[in-house]
């Protein structure tokens, strides 16, 4: 028992056990799209928000896995973490004017590594499907968060469509 406790204390103190958090959105997540190509996924408990912004979508490979680091000028991925009982997240295409004097800045994790597959892009109807694999995100303090897999299926985007 003493050896196990010693190993556990060593792992905690070295940071190897808890150095990287892993997060996965639940099935009931709220998913939407907007603007040129912006995607949003909000967890059921409204504590996590995943945002993907794609610029220059015509420069990206369709139906091929590509490295986020190589296309960082085209794709930005953020995961915002809010406190429990959060009432701050709004839909990305919500035009409703809400005057809220209380502004909350979430803990923001920014993707630095990972793979993306755009499996569908229809620029005529503004519909996109994509998946993110093994994304590694970091906050401003260097804390890491791992997204093993997230998927967006047939999301309508565009200024008029989304």
């Amino acid at each position: 028992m003493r050896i196990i406790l010693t190993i556990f204390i060593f792992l905690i103190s070295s940071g190897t056990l808890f150095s990287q958090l892993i997060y996965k959105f639940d099935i009931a997540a709220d998913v939407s799209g907007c603007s040129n190509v912006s995607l949003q996924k909000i967890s059921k408990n409204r504590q996590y928000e995943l945002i993907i912004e794609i610029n220059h979508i015509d420069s990206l490979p369709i139906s091929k896995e590509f490295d986020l680091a190589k296309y960082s000028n085209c794709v930005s991925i953020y995961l915002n973490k809010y406190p429990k009982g959060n009432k701050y997240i709004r839909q990305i295409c919500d035009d409703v004017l809400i005057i809220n004097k209380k502004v909350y800045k979430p803990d923001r994790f920014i993707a630095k590594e990972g793979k993306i597959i755009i499996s569908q892009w229809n620029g005529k109807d503004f519909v996109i499907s994509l998946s993110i694999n093994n994304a590694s995100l970091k906050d401003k303090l260097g804390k890491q968060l791992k997204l093993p897999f997230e998927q967006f299926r047939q999301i309508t985007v565009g200024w008029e469509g989304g």
Side-chain angles (χ1 to χ4, degrees):
M1 181 69 175
R2 186 174 175 179
I3 294 172
I4 294 172
L5 184 58
T6 304
I7 293 170
F8 184 72
I9 290 171
F10 170 76
L11 289 173
I12 290 175
S13 64
S14 68
T16 56
L17 187 62
F18 300 109
S19 64
Q20 193 173 70
L21 303 171
I22 296 176
Y23 189 78
K24 174 101 175 99
F25 281 82
D26 48 43
I27 293 172
D30 188 9
V31 180
S32 60
C34 190
S35 71
N36 288 334
V37 179
S38 293
L39 302 168
Q40 178 187 44
K41 190 177 272 196
I42 302 170
S43 64
K44 186 176 179 180
N45 67 2
R46 302 191 61 77
Q47 198 170 356
Y48 294 91
E49 171 188 40
L50 179 64
I51 296 177
I52 300 171
E53 295 173 347
I54 301 176
N55 301 316
H56 315 294
I57 190 160
D58 295 329
S59 306
L60 297 173
I62 306 299
S63 299
K64 292 184 180 178
E65 185 175 74
F66 62 92
D67 191 351
L68 176 62
K70 290 181 183 176
Y71 290 91
S72 61
N73 61 332
C74 295
V75 181
S76 300
I77 300 175
Y78 310 101
L79 186 125
N80 294 322
K81 183 181 183 298
Y82 293 87
K84 290 183 180 176
N86 165 44
K87 293 182 175 63
Y88 304 103
I89 298 177
R90 294 181 56 200
Q91 295 291 332
I92 55 176
C93 273
D94 191 352
D95 292 333
V96 176
L97 178 62
I98 297 175
I99 300 173
N100 184 357
K101 294 180 182 177
K102 189 175 182 180
V103 175
Y104 180 83
K105 294 211 177 213
D107 294 334
R108 176 166 272 193
F109 292 81
I110 300 171
K112 301 294 182 184
E113 299 174 344
K115 305 287 183 186
I116 297 175
I117 298 175
I118 298 175
S119 55
Q120 175 186 11
W121 170 242
N122 181 334
K124 180 183 169 206
D125 296 325
F126 300 101
V127 174
I128 189 167
S129 296
L130 66 82
S131 59
I132 305 166
N133 297 311
N134 297 318
S136 179
L137 301 96
K138 288 185 183 180
D139 69 0
K140 62 184 175 186
L141 301 174
K143 189 180 349 174
Q144 286 192 331
L145 190 136
K146 191 83 166 171
L147 279 175
F149 180 80
E150 286 300 329
Q151 187 172 40
F152 292 81
R153 290 186 189 170
Q154 296 188 336
I155 306 298
T156 303
V157 295
W159 292 107
E160 294 180 18

